[in-house]
Amino acid sequence: MKKMLFLLLSGAIFGACSSDKDRVLVFVKNVVMPPDSWVFAPGDGVTVSAEGFEADDEIMLEIHWQESAEGFAPEGYAKGVRGIVTVRSATSVTFLAPGHYPASTVRVLLLRRGRMMPLGKIRVADGTPKAEALYGISKSDTDETLIERIDLSTGGVTRVATLGIGRGIACAVGLPGSGWIYGVCSGSMAGFDLTMNYYDDFGYRNSLLAGLSPIPPSDSFPTTRGG
């Protein structure tokens, strides 16, 4: 009898643990995702509405893609990609559609204190670099630093972005194929994502300065190649 009671108790405990493990966490209610028919370009703002968002909530992404028609990228996925949140409130969160991946279906998850709740899915267009391009930075010593694309055949210049007050990139370098321009702003490492049109100040702790070349005049073009 005691043995049977022990087996029944063990089964009850195991069943409780299993149901807790399989339980879907609910942090927010009445989630509204963008329509399934929408295809976002990399860097577009994606807004998810719901009730109950908190100030420290983050967005995590799982990106899945099929093999491209050109065979450029095999079928694959990227998990643990942190979404770049641009606006947040108690009723909505806006983040940037990810770049640097083939056309994909992206699973969106809400991260709260180490635990995640699935919110839904979005579709994102191809964000992989197609060819090298030449970029220049002008007015780098002002509050209107410009990033411009230079046509290699004609020399024509097209403005890509105006970084704005408190943002800049000096001593610019580019890693071909990365889609990023890196440099220094006020002694801190900074960068601009050409695929997502996104500026990031990485902070002092991520920057190691071995030397600093003179900042060129504002009307000159320190150039770099990027995807």
Side-chain angles (χ1 to χ4, degrees):
M1 184 67 177
K2 288 183 178 179
K3 185 175 181 180
M4 185 175 293
L5 271 172
F6 176 75
L7 290 173
L8 288 172
L9 182 60
S10 299
I13 293 172
F14 178 77
C17 292
S18 297
S19 61
D20 184 65
K21 182 179 178 181
D22 297 336
R23 183 167 56 91
V24 177
L25 297 173
V26 178
F27 299 141
V28 294
K29 298 183 297 181
N30 300 325
V31 178
V32 179
M33 295 289 297
D36 292 339
S37 59
W38 289 12
V39 179
F40 292 93
D44 281 353
V46 181
T47 299
V48 180
S49 300
E51 298 174 13
F53 283 117
E54 296 184 359
D56 59 349
D57 284 345
E58 297 291 340
I59 295 295
M60 299 298 292
L61 307 174
E62 293 182 0
I63 304 166
H64 299 261
W65 62 87
Q66 301 294 323
E67 183 172 1
S68 65
E70 301 82 6
F72 172 73
E75 180 179 351
Y77 63 87
K79 293 186 176 182
V81 178
R82 189 174 294 273
I84 300 169
V85 176
T86 57
V87 181
R88 64 175 81 238
S89 72
T91 57
S92 69
V93 169
T94 300
F95 62 94
L96 301 184
H100 310 282
Y101 302 96
S104 54
T105 299
V106 179
R107 187 171 181 238
V108 182
L109 304 106
L110 174 64
L111 174 64
R112 179 177 294 177
R113 292 183 284 278
R115 307 179 80 183
M116 289 192 286
M117 169 190 172
L119 297 177
K121 296 180 179 180
I122 60 171
R123 297 165 61 201
V124 182
D126 188 0
T128 56
K130 296 297 179 289
E132 287 189 342
L134 187 65
Y135 293 87
I137 299 176
S138 63
K139 299 185 180 180
S140 59
D141 58 348
T142 75
D143 286 334
E144 292 186 355
T145 299
L146 304 180
I147 295 182
E148 296 166 315
R149 183 184 178 105
I150 306 168
D151 189 301
L152 294 174
S153 59
T154 66
V157 175
T158 303
R159 182 177 302 184
V160 174
T162 302
L163 298 187
I165 297 174
R167 297 179 171 186
I169 298 181
C171 308
V173 295
L175 180 63
S178 72
W180 276 87
I181 294 176
Y182 297 100
V184 177
C185 178
S186 300
S188 176
M189 182 176 174
F192 185 79
D193 188 329
L194 295 161
T195 303
M196 298 172 63
N197 281 342
Y198 167 67
Y199 178 89
D200 195 1
D201 184 339
F202 300 104
Y204 292 92
R205 64 183 180 276
N206 294 319
S207 179
L208 177 63
L209 304 180
L212 187 64
S213 62
I215 298 176
S218 59
D219 59 349
S220 66
F221 282 90
T223 56
T224 181
R225 291 179 179 268

